[in-house]
Amino acid sequence: MAIKERMSGNEAVSYAIRQVNPDVMPAFPITPSTEIPQMVSTYIANGEMDTEFIPVESEHSSMSAAIGAESAGARSLTATSSAGLALMWEELLLAASNRLPVVLALVNRTLSGPININCDHSDSMGARDTGWIQIYAENNQEAYDNFIQAYPVAENEAVHLPVMVCQDGFITSHAVENIELIEDCDVKGFVGEYNPEEYLLNPGKPVSAGPYSISSYAMEAKKNQETALENSKAVILEVAKKFKKISGREYGLFEEYRTKDADYIMFIMGSAAGTAKQAVDEMRAHGVKAGVLKLRVFRPFPAEEIAKALSKCKAVAIMDRCESYNGNGGPLGSEVTSALFLNKVMAETVNYIYGLAGRDFTVEEAKTVFNGLMDMAVNGTKLEQYQYIGLRK
């Protein structure tokens, strides 16, 4: 039975953590994710969960401790944002390469500099090639639901990779929304117990963790890691089907909003998808066939599926809340255009950078993007292929 509640995104994720009741949570506070370890430690102090909470001296240490605990056979997690994720950099790669199903609650915040505490995706996008699965939420409900689905994905025997559950700092993490929670018993049954096959504290079966890998084996290990990431696509979809049975909510690799007959599609992820959907509704009211494709799973990148979803439209606006500093566009701009080209989809594309360091992205700006796509497709107007939205004059 659904439990109707009002919660911020941080509260929702903390509530999910309480329901999952993992074995170990090391954490170090950083805005805007600080509330998550704070709330979890309160649950522990109140006797509502028996997770071992480890206060550490830095984010590097928190991921190190999570790796140690997971290697020993304990279900582990941590939470962070921005520079905290950057300080974990070395450990992120170790968690993935050692095939440890750690879960990280990431509250997206811009990376310095200049120093700023508001949302963009530069922190998680900076970690896009560390080997982690990355799942993004539009709202508080999705942040809660994504976290509950994370462990069954990470711990699947065909995957065994860490999962980064991302939500937008302050926009969802601190804003209070209506939410439907799942009963504790249903969450526990869905997530299940963690029974690793290999772990350091397994009596009579010694193993090593993080050994030096010589050239004769390292490349094969990396290929196996890549294969596991590819496997995770099917696992993510299967877990989502099972989740629908206990929640009634449906998830995929991405969400298509009014795209079935759309001529113009905005490709976007995170909280700004809600703004884009509102713009689509207003454009539709004036006869413009607009739609939104909201990416949920960025890693593994569903290239073929995206190309198929965009194959019938005339033009696509690819929206990046992150600057890649390559002089040619953002991370999504690079990956989506590559997916379209390799799958021989010839839709026109324009890459937009928006919302950096918390800059507002409005419905009117989204409608301006759609009007630009329409002008390009109908009148042949040449648009700048890599442009910023909302810059001050």
Side-chain angles (χ1 to χ4, degrees), residues 317-337:
I318 306 168
M319 312 297 290
D320 269 295
R321 199 163 198 160
C322 172
E323 173 56 84
S324 202
Y325 295 113
N326 62 12
N328 191 55
L332 286 178
S334 298
E335 302 222 8
V336 175
T337 52

Side-chain angles (χ1 to χ4, degrees), residues 189-320:
F190 176 79
V191 176
E193 296 294 328
Y194 180 42
N195 297 301
E197 184 179 354
E198 305 284 355
Y199 55 98
L200 290 176
L201 299 183
N202 188 1
K205 194 178 181 183
V207 296
S208 60
Y212 176 74
S213 182
I214 61 174
S215 299
S216 300
Y217 296 96
M219 192 167 176
E220 285 71 22
K222 290 181 181 295
K223 176 55 183 174
N224 286 338
Q225 187 180 335
E226 163 61 21
T227 300
L229 194 66
E230 293 172 10
N231 293 343
S232 71
K233 261 200 302 193
V235 174
I236 289 166
L237 293 175
E238 183 60 33
V239 168
K241 286 181 183 178
K242 293 177 181 177
F243 184 77
K244 183 181 178 181
K245 293 178 181 178
I246 67 167
S247 69
R249 293 182 290 275
E250 191 168 357
Y251 290 96
L253 302 174
F254 48 77
E255 175 193 341
E256 296 181 81
Y257 184 78
R258 306 188 76 166
T259 60
K260 189 173 182 180
D261 65 341
D263 291 327
Y264 316 106
I265 293 178
M266 182 172 288
F267 187 97
I268 198 165
M269 67 185 189
S271 60
T275 303
K277 290 174 182 178
Q278 178 65 33
V280 163
D281 290 344
E282 294 184 17
M283 299 292 287
R284 287 274 179 170
H286 289 88
V288 178
K289 292 182 178 180
V292 170
L293 194 153
K294 181 188 77 181
L295 187 63
R296 175 179 178 244
V297 178
F298 178 64
R299 286 289 185 268
F301 189 71
E304 290 183 16
E305 295 86 347
I306 287 168
K308 183 178 180 181
L310 298 176
S311 62
K312 295 180 181 179
C313 72
K314 295 177 180 177
V316 185
I318 306 168
M319 312 297 290
D320 269 295

Side-chain angles (χ1 to χ4, degrees), residues 65-312:
I67 288 171
E70 193 74 47
S71 298
R75 180 179 274 163
S76 305
L77 83 149
T78 189
T80 196
S81 299
S82 186
L85 186 71
L87 189 55
M88 291 178 181
W89 189 262
E90 174 191 13
E91 304 303 314
L92 293 177
L93 292 145
L94 292 176
S97 63
N98 283 324
R99 308 293 297 279
L100 299 174
V102 178
V103 173
L104 169 64
L106 181 70
V107 183
N108 287 112
R109 168 188 153 186
T110 188
L111 280 170
S112 300
I115 190 168
N116 180 283
I117 64 168
N118 297 306
C119 173
D120 65 29
H121 296 154
S122 55
D123 49 3
S124 55
M125 283 293 165
R128 65 187 180 272
D129 296 332
T130 56
W132 282 62
I133 295 166
Q134 290 190 351
I135 304 176
Y136 289 77
E138 176 186 344
N139 50 43
N140 302 0
Q141 184 71 67
E142 291 186 10
Y144 170 78
D145 292 348
N146 287 345
F147 190 90
I148 291 172
Q149 293 174 71
Y151 281 111
V153 172
E155 294 169 0
N156 186 282
E157 62 182 7
V159 180
H160 256 269
L161 288 172
V163 176
M164 199 176 292
V165 181
C166 307
Q167 65 167 315
D168 285 354
F170 292 108
I171 300 169
T172 64
S173 67
H174 285 64
V176 175
E177 295 179 348
N178 291 333
I179 189 171
E180 285 192 357
L181 305 170
I182 305 168
E183 296 281 1
D184 289 0
C185 59
D186 291 333
V187 173
K188 292 184 186 303
F190 176 79
V191 176
E193 296 294 328
Y194 180 42
N195 297 301
E197 184 179 354
E198 305 284 355
Y199 55 98
L200 290 176
L201 299 183
N202 188 1
K205 194 178 181 183
V207 296
S208 60
Y212 176 74
S213 182
I214 61 174
S215 299
S216 300
Y217 296 96
M219 192 167 176
E220 285 71 22
K222 290 181 181 295
K223 176 55 183 174
N224 286 338
Q225 187 180 335
E226 163 61 21
T227 300
L229 194 66
E230 293 172 10
N231 293 343
S232 71
K233 261 200 302 193
V235 174
I236 289 166
L237 293 175
E238 183 60 33
V239 168
K241 286 181 183 178
K242 293 177 181 177
F243 184 77
K244 183 181 178 181
K245 293 178 181 178
I246 67 167
S247 69
R249 293 182 290 275
E250 191 168 357
Y251 290 96
L253 302 174
F254 48 77
E255 175 193 341
E256 296 181 81
Y257 184 78
R258 306 188 76 166
T259 60
K260 189 173 182 180
D261 65 341
D263 291 327
Y264 316 106
I265 293 178
M266 182 172 288
F267 187 97
I268 198 165
M269 67 185 189
S271 60
T275 303
K277 290 174 182 178
Q278 178 65 33
V280 163
D281 290 344
E282 294 184 17
M283 299 292 287
R284 287 274 179 170
H286 289 88
V288 178
K289 292 182 178 180
V292 170
L293 194 153
K294 181 188 77 181
L295 187 63
R296 175 179 178 244
V297 178
F298 178 64
R299 286 289 185 268
F301 189 71
E304 290 183 16
E305 295 86 347
I306 287 168
K308 183 178 180 181
L310 298 176
S311 62
K312 295 180 181 179

